[in-house]
Amino acid sequence: MVRSGRYTRLNVYLLILSVLQLNLHTVEGVWPLPQAFTSSTERYPLNPQAFYFGYGRQSAAQQGCSVLDSAFRRYFSLIFPDYTDGRLHFSQYKPFTVEVSIDHDDCEGYPNEDSSERYNLSVSAGQASLKAETVWGALRGLETFSQLVYQNDFAYYRTLLMLNFPRFQFRGILLDTSRHYLPVQAILKTLDAMAYSKFNVFHWHIVDDPSFPYQSSSFPDLSSKGAFHPMTHIYTQSDVRRVISHARLWGIRVLPEFDSPGHTTSWGKGQPGLLTPCYNGGTPSGTFGPVNPALPSTYQFMARLFKEVSSVFPDSYIHLGGDEVDFSCWKSNPDVRAFMQKMGFGSDFTKLEAFYMENIVNITSALNKTSIVWQDVFDYHERIPKDTVLHIWKGIPAKYQEELSRITKAGMRVLLAAPWYINHISYGQDWRNYYTVQPQNFSGTEEQKKLVIGGEVCMWGEYVDATNLSPRLWPRASAAAERLWSDEKQTSNVDKAFPRLQDFRCKLLRRGIQAEPLYVGHCKHEYQGV
């Protein structure tokens, strides 16, 4: 059993486990909306001094399971945030135990693309039973349970039966740490908030044109010369391990992105000969363009770098970028043009990019990594393995729906990000636009629709750093979280979602997340960190 701390305030906590009827959409309850549950009107008091987490007798995981032991400690503090060193007596309240049972002992592993997040939660007098196939499903169930606790003048819980699972397996958040460096603590805080909304993939767009903060053990000059500052604005190997470890304990995968051949200006500072020299007329201009795809040394460097990245990041996926390649520098370079003639590409520079990306994908495939690439790679008709995931980032709904149809018709899996670029801000409640996205609303067969494996909220960093990351991200990203987790028909009404999201935003504040307001109003517990 796990319990810690003592309660200091006279006010107790409401444990309300039934107010979120699927047909009522009342304010209190869980975000994202669970798939299905029923509840009764019976009420029982809850005592924080006799509240325990434990393992079921038949559970494959028992005490010593790193993921669940740490989760029990975290969630006790989240459920009872004011339970500290004082002692009050609640002798009239009976003990309450949350018993967790797991089918598979994956306590020391990492979540992956096939990890089940399904769970069953039942609450009866004096106990809750949480059953899941994996520890990752148990984490989602613990989050649900924790959200049903409210501080009030009285404390109640109601009996309940719940079945819950995600609609999509991939529910991601992208953070850009090149355009502005984000301190490790800001990333860890974002991981916490991601778990509160049941996001399960952290897409770490770690390097780009402006800076190269990843400190490579194989190529230390990449960060020492390519970061904004070689000491203060880098992610050491220890920093990266810390992020991956923290994410694992929340059931979140870490997907690294090393985007090339474009978006690589910062790479060239620490790796001479990697980028293409641009020419003005017949002479070098002194500027550089994308990675030089004509040199064998390019692929030798990439093979070494990705071998390191593959050993540092345990996830089976890696993002290779491949977007927004400016061909003008390649066109200006006589050596590149000669290489194209030798290869039979003529003057079609999309074939040159295809040649480059196919080589990079083959490098990562040899390392047993599955590649994710931006949609440009598909648009240029590049020959890539069938298990490669295409990432859609362009266009208004009509355009990305057309792209969804084309990519899935080719039998490729796809991620949708285009409607969730929430670094774009506007006055008013733009979260409503994110909430009403329909990821499978495109022309295609049911088999095509199944190839949409999920979606991603992108927070690009041109105007975002640690000072405004959280309020710009939350609770707007949570609108996408419900779209990616919950049943679409049950969550089609934005007006019914609004009071629930308002309530969830208040929960985020209570947990120390600087989530911006949705509209006029207040929270009982306003943000305390200012």
Side-chain angles (χ1 to χ4, degrees):
M1 299 294 182
V2 177
R3 179 169 66 87
S4 60
R6 296 172 179 171
Y7 196 56
T8 57
R9 295 187 182 179
L10 288 172
N11 48 348
V12 192
Y13 290 82
L14 276 176
L15 179 58
I16 305 175
L17 294 174
S18 62
V19 294
L20 185 61
Q21 297 285 2
L22 291 181
N23 61 335
L24 294 179
H25 295 271
T26 51
V27 172
E28 300 91 342
V30 181
W31 190 282
L33 189 73
Q35 298 288 345
F37 67 83
T38 59
S39 61
S40 77
T41 57
E42 296 177 83
R43 293 185 172 195
Y44 301 90
L46 179 70
N47 176 5
Q49 288 185 347
F51 181 93
Y52 305 92
F53 290 104
Y55 293 91
R57 288 184 180 180
Q58 303 302 315
S59 175
Q62 293 292 333
Q63 190 166 357
C65 174
S66 59
V67 172
L68 291 181
D69 284 356
S70 62
F72 293 163
R73 290 188 291 270
R74 284 198 313 271
Y75 277 110
F76 190 95
S77 298
L78 289 172
I79 292 169
F80 306 114
D82 295 316
Y83 194 74
T84 52
D85 290 331
R87 174 172 291 278
L88 295 176
H89 296 285
F90 296 87
S91 57
Q92 74 275 29
Y93 291 174
K94 296 179 180 178
F96 189 95
T97 300
V98 180
E99 185 179 272
V100 179
S101 295
I102 307 299
D103 292 340
H104 306 291
D105 181 2
D106 40 9
C107 291
E108 304 311 315
Y110 291 88
N112 60 57
E113 61 169 324
D114 298 318
S115 296
S116 170
E117 295 172 283
R118 177 184 293 264
Y119 64 89
N120 294 303
L121 177 63
S122 65
V123 181
S124 56
Q127 75 167 21
S129 174
L130 174 60
K131 296 182 178 180
E133 296 173 24
T134 67
V135 292
W136 321 116
L139 289 176
R140 305 295 172 248
L142 290 169
E143 177 57 39
T144 294
F145 187 88
S146 74
Q147 287 185 21
L148 294 163
V149 176
Y150 283 79
Q151 187 173 10
N152 210 317
D153 296 330
F154 303 96
Y156 298 113
Y157 65 89
R158 296 178 181 175
T159 57
L160 168 144
L161 290 172
M162 177 187 293
L163 169 65
N164 208 2
F165 53 88
R167 179 186 175 196
F168 292 105
Q169 192 65 19
F170 188 111
R171 307 177 308 282
I173 294 272
L174 176 150
L175 294 185
D176 168 9
T177 58
S178 173
R179 290 172 177 86
H180 281 99
Y181 176 83
L182 294 174
V184 170
Q185 196 57 43
I187 295 174
L188 302 184
K189 195 78 167 177
T190 301
L191 291 169
D192 296 349
M194 285 174 62
Y196 304 154
S197 286
K198 295 187 172 70
F199 282 105
N200 69 343
V201 180
F202 168 42
H203 177 175
W204 195 349
H205 189 88
I206 192 167
V207 298
D208 206 298
D209 281 327
S211 73
F212 197 107
Y214 171 75
Q215 189 177 60
S216 166
S217 57
S218 304
F219 301 99
D221 281 353
L222 288 171
S223 61
S224 67
K225 296 180 179 179
F228 287 135
H229 189 283
M231 298 299 291
T232 59
H233 286 58
I234 60 169
Y235 300 109
T236 65
Q237 297 286 306
S238 176
D239 291 333
V240 173
R241 285 194 297 270
R242 186 179 174 197
V243 169
I244 293 170
S245 175
H246 192 88
R248 183 184 84 91
L249 293 177
W250 283 113
I252 295 172
R253 299 161 56 193
V254 179
L255 168 68
E257 180 181 359
F258 288 80
D259 189 357
S260 71
H263 292 281
T264 49
T265 302
S266 65
W267 301 42
K269 297 174 182 177
Q271 188 63 22
L274 178 65
L275 302 186
T276 305
C278 304
Y279 278 67
N280 187 0
T283 58
S285 65
T287 61
F288 294 88
V291 168
N292 192 335
L295 299 178
S297 59
T298 290
Y299 303 102
Q300 294 163 5
F301 163 78
M302 289 294 184
R304 278 189 65 192
L305 177 65
F306 281 116
K307 183 178 181 181
E308 174 190 323
V309 169
S310 296
S311 66
V312 170
F313 291 89
D315 200 80
S316 62
Y317 280 63
I318 188 167
H319 205 303
L320 301 177
D323 64 315
E324 295 186 311
V325 180
D326 183 354
F327 296 148
S328 59
C329 185
W330 283 350
K331 289 178 181 177
S332 76
N333 185 294
D335 295 329
V336 171
R337 292 200 306 270
F339 178 78
M340 289 184 65
Q341 294 305 313
K342 175 185 172 184
M343 298 299 294
F345 297 157
S347 59
D348 187 350
F349 284 86
T350 65
K351 291 182 179 178
L352 182 60
E353 185 186 350
F355 172 82
Y356 172 83
M357 288 304 299
E358 289 161 16
N359 275 279
I360 300 303
V361 170
N362 289 339
I363 287 170
T364 53
S365 294
L367 294 165
N368 294 317
K369 296 287 187 178
T370 301
S371 299
I372 302 179
V373 292
W374 296 108
Q375 70 183 77
D376 312 49
V377 174
F378 178 84
D379 296 341
Y380 290 150
H381 308 290
E382 299 171 20
R383 296 185 300 274
I384 51 177
K386 208 69 172 178
D387 65 348
T388 305
V389 178
L390 280 303
H391 203 163
I392 295 180
W393 67 276
K394 296 180 183 178
I396 60 174
K399 288 292 185 183
Y400 69 69
Q401 287 163 0
E402 181 183 319
E403 189 81 348
L404 281 164
S405 184
R406 290 197 307 119
I407 292 174
T408 56
K409 190 173 183 178
M412 307 291 288
R413 292 178 299 163
V414 65
L415 281 171
L416 183 62
W420 292 311
Y421 267 42
I422 67 169
N423 50 292
H424 296 160
I425 56 175
S426 59
Y427 189 78
Q429 298 186 38
D430 58 356
W431 71 270
R432 291 172 177 261
N433 299 326
Y434 310 137
Y435 192 78
T436 53
V437 172
Q438 297 176 298
Q440 294 176 321
N441 181 24
F442 61 91
S443 177
T445 65
E446 285 306 307
E447 289 305 308
Q448 283 180 251
K449 309 266 172 110
K450 292 177 183 176
L451 291 172
V452 181
I453 64 171
E456 184 172 272
V457 170
C458 296
M459 181 60 80
W460 297 102
E462 287 89 349
Y463 304 99
V464 176
D465 66 6
T467 65
N468 63 345
L469 172 64
S470 285
R472 190 160 294 188
L473 194 53
W474 311 108
R476 295 158 73 230
S478 302
E482 182 151 290
R483 181 54 53 240
L484 293 169
W485 178 282
S486 306
D487 179 78
E488 190 168 279
K489 292 180 181 177
Q490 295 281 3
T491 54
S492 59
N493 190 311
V494 182
D495 292 332
K496 288 182 178 178
F498 175 70
R500 293 177 42 245
L501 187 55
Q502 268 195 318
D503 182 66
F504 181 67
R505 183 253 172 178
C506 291
K507 284 192 179 79
L508 292 177
L509 293 186
R510 189 80 171 97
R511 295 179 175 191
I513 304 299
Q514 289 175 280
E516 70 178 16
L518 293 171
Y519 191 55
V520 176
H522 83 290
C523 294
K524 181 169 184 178
H525 300 279
E526 298 285 10
Y527 184 70
Q528 299 297 310
V530 291

